[in-house]
Amino acid sequence: MRPAQALIDLAALRHNYQLARELSGGRALAVIKANAYGHGAVVCAEALSDADGFAVACIEEALELRAAGIRQPILLLEGFFTADELPLIEQHQLSTVVHSDWQVQAIEQASLSTPLQVWLKIDSGMHRVGVAPIEAAGLYQRLLASGRVGKVVLMTHFARADELDCPRTVEQHKVFLNAVAGLKAEVSLANSPSLLGWPQVRNDWGRAGIMLYGATPFSAPHAVAERLKPVMRLQSKIIAVRELPVGEPVGYAGRFVTARKTRVGVVAMGYADGYPRHAPDGTPVAVDGQRTRLIGRVSMDMLTVDLTDLPSAGVGSAVELWGTQVLASEVASLADSIPYQLFCNVRRAPLVYQN
């Protein structure tokens, strides 16, 4: 069978979750939206059987987990899109983000027999979704007074927490604190970069996303982020070798031209598997545990690597595209992307789980 695979290290996943819980100073949601960032939501949830709860984007993702027998709390990060979802949210004991006045009205008008768990999202400066800070206290009181809400958690989301020298996170934190002053409720502020790099904003509920999968959200080395363990190892094998003289082009459009006699290894891995098409020449790969480089444009099913300085490598040699020897963050940076996107784009390469 085709050797392209994504190995998923569930022990590393559990390690990263425990680090998130340690850093949160309280409880931590494991964010497993978008099929657990490409790692397989159901299997990852099952592996995190002691997690305090999970977060997904929408009710479809939550229902998949419930159908698989996942019983922990599940939060809908985008909330509900129509009032018709509220009976399902009640039936499956889901928690929902509320980020708009119309959602508050829908809850007030809903016929529910069990109080909902609501996370009221406040726009402290991200300007994506969230209620205005000046409206937060009033909407909080309306939710509690509705008789249809049993608990409200107050939350916000930081836009630039991955930039550790940027004052925007501190500014957003102040906006949030002013908006919720005097309200007695649990608070959730810390996403992955703020859990790792902003200890002053940790509180009741952390929300571990990219760190759960072992990738750093930062562009520079960071001591706490170095404690993370990569979860996905995207791998394949060399399926052909070419010996080329000086001056020969390799791959589509002849982007790479040999400057010396070159041994070219062809790898069963392409952009249809999730490897970034725009990865440049020189992007690191590991062959039989030794780092070398990508040469030539990535095609749909194959890519080419430089084996010139690896004389023992050949057909059948193991190739790591990212994992423990080549970090996903390295590949993402060179391909003008982020690890989030690399992981989510893994499609055809089958997921193989390891404990």
Side-chain angles (χ1 to χ4, degrees):
M1 296 177 68
R2 190 166 180 267
Q5 294 179 329
L7 298 186
I8 308 298
D9 184 344
L10 297 175
L13 180 77
R14 289 188 284 267
H15 165 86
N16 296 333
Y17 175 76
Q18 292 302 329
L19 177 60
R21 182 187 270 165
E22 171 193 327
L23 295 173
S24 72
R27 288 162 290 180
L29 292 179
V31 181
I32 55 173
K33 62 181 179 177
N35 198 30
Y37 293 37
H39 293 68
V42 169
V43 177
C44 287
E46 291 171 341
L48 296 172
S49 58
D50 64 341
D52 299 312
F54 299 106
V56 296
C58 55
I59 198 166
E60 292 90 340
E61 294 178 339
L63 295 182
E64 178 188 17
L65 296 177
R66 286 289 188 249
I70 305 302
R71 303 266 62 90
Q72 287 115 307
I74 300 174
L75 174 65
L76 308 179
L77 287 171
E78 284 189 275
F80 54 94
F81 300 93
T82 68
D84 294 343
E85 294 177 50
L86 288 171
L88 279 174
I89 290 172
E90 178 189 23
Q91 176 186 346
H92 294 281
Q93 299 179 307
L94 307 175
S95 300
T96 181
V97 165
V98 166
H99 55 73
S100 302
D101 181 82
W102 76 263
Q103 292 173 317
V104 176
Q105 293 181 39
I107 290 172
E108 290 173 327
Q109 297 167 8
S111 297
L112 303 171
S113 57
T114 305
L116 300 178
Q117 305 293 307
V118 168
W119 291 47
L120 180 61
K121 189 167 191 176
I122 298 164
D123 180 10
S124 61
M126 179 88 172
H127 300 323
R128 195 171 56 181
V129 294
V131 303
I134 196 171
E135 298 175 339
L139 293 174
Y140 169 83
Q141 297 296 347
R142 281 175 57 187
L143 287 166
L144 290 180
S146 70
R148 293 161 178 80
V149 173
K151 178 181 178 181
V152 177
V153 178
L154 301 168
M155 69 180 298
T156 195
H157 193 69
F158 295 121
R160 301 179 68 177
D162 57 332
E163 301 174 56
L164 296 176
D165 58 351
C166 177
R168 187 61 172 163
T169 298
V170 174
E171 293 167 1
Q172 283 193 249
H173 190 206
K174 290 179 180 177
V175 170
F176 176 84
L177 292 178
N178 289 334
V180 304
L183 304 182
K184 295 182 179 180
E186 294 176 359
V187 169
S188 177
L189 299 178
N191 55 5
S192 289
S194 50
L195 278 172
L196 292 164
W198 296 87
Q200 65 270 42
V201 299
R202 295 172 196 160
N203 39 72
D204 302 298
W205 285 94
R207 306 190 303 272
I210 194 64
M211 69 176 293
L212 197 63
Y213 308 101
T216 177
F218 306 123
S219 59
H222 185 274
V224 181
E226 288 177 2
R227 295 172 62 187
L228 298 170
K229 295 183 178 181
V231 174
M232 179 187 288
R233 183 173 187 260
L234 188 65
Q235 66 177 28
S236 191
K237 291 182 178 180
I238 302 290
I239 60 171
V241 176
R242 293 286 180 272
E243 304 272 358
L244 297 180
V246 174
E248 286 296 311
V250 175
Y252 284 121
R255 184 183 73 181
F256 178 85
V257 178
T258 58
R260 60 174 179 168
K261 289 181 62 176
T262 304
R263 293 183 72 232
V264 178
V266 181
V267 182
M269 175 66 62
Y271 59 77
D273 300 292
Y275 194 84
R277 179 177 180 271
H278 298 295
D281 297 329
T283 299
V285 299
V287 177
D288 288 340
Q290 301 181 75
R291 284 169 67 106
T292 183
R293 59 179 181 149
L294 175 76
I295 54 175
R297 181 176 291 173
V298 176
S299 55
M300 184 180 290
D301 310 304
M302 291 175 280
L303 55 81
T304 43
V305 298
D306 189 351
L307 300 181
T308 309
D309 297 326
L310 304 178
S312 62
V315 173
S317 287
V319 179
E320 180 184 288
L321 289 308
W322 63 68
T324 57
Q325 300 164 83
V326 176
L327 297 181
S329 55
E330 294 181 79
V331 178
S333 177
L334 289 166
D336 192 26
S337 184
I338 52 176
Y340 306 71
Q341 187 177 38
L342 297 192
F343 297 152
C344 289
N345 282 350
V346 172
R347 296 186 182 92
R348 182 172 61 185
L351 304 181
V352 178
Y353 294 96
Q354 299 177 320
N355 278 307

